[in-house]
Amino acid sequence: EFCAQIDKAINAGIKITHLDSHHHVHTLEEFRPVIEKILKKYDLPIRGGFEYELKYDKIVPMLGSFYSKNVEADYFEKHIDEIKQYKVVDVMSHPAFVDAFLLKSTSYSIERTKEHEILTSEELKKFFESNDIKITNYEDDFNRIVADRNKKDYTTALLWSKIFLMGKSFTSFSGSKIAFALLFPMEK
């Protein structure tokens, strides 16, 4: 299943920068033989945090402490030395806008708005700049996507993703961009 998902993304023209998994299942000892085969096959970096020793030179260090009670505006100041010890580090986060679905599907919902507020703040941006920390962004990710026939099924989803992930609006503008609208039935 892991390979099927990776292959589907690659065949769609998506440049995979590293491997990861939901709820960090790739870090569980039970998956070790599978993960070792996947790494051998794809030779890609993988998010760290393993509960076992993995001899692989492309593990992306992961900080998992920006979570729950540790989600504070001064988190990055307090952890700057830990962050700077790495050339690249993955700081686990779960920012989101809370809606009815999220409230029903996870116990970690309200905290996500606090994460979003901190991670998108001008203060944090200035702090990163003053400490020579570069963060990745969705624009760079979208620019790496190669448009071709393999991705035709993803065209609309990618356009919607850009709207939500890059903070665009549904207001129409002049230019070459496609205008989107969310339509809801108005009947009673």
Side-chain angles (χ1 to χ4, degrees), residues 154-169:
Y154 300 97
T155 303
T156 303
L158 285 168
L159 291 171
W160 279 101
S161 297
K162 282 184 181 182
I163 289 170
F164 291 108
L165 296 174
M166 296 175 62
K168 304 292 183 188
S169 75

Side-chain angles (χ1 to χ4, degrees), residues 137-150:
N137 62 54
Y138 293 117
E139 185 71 38
D140 291 342
D141 292 340
F142 283 116
N143 287 337
R144 285 195 296 265
I145 297 173
V146 178
D148 62 26
R149 63 181 175 85
N150 292 322

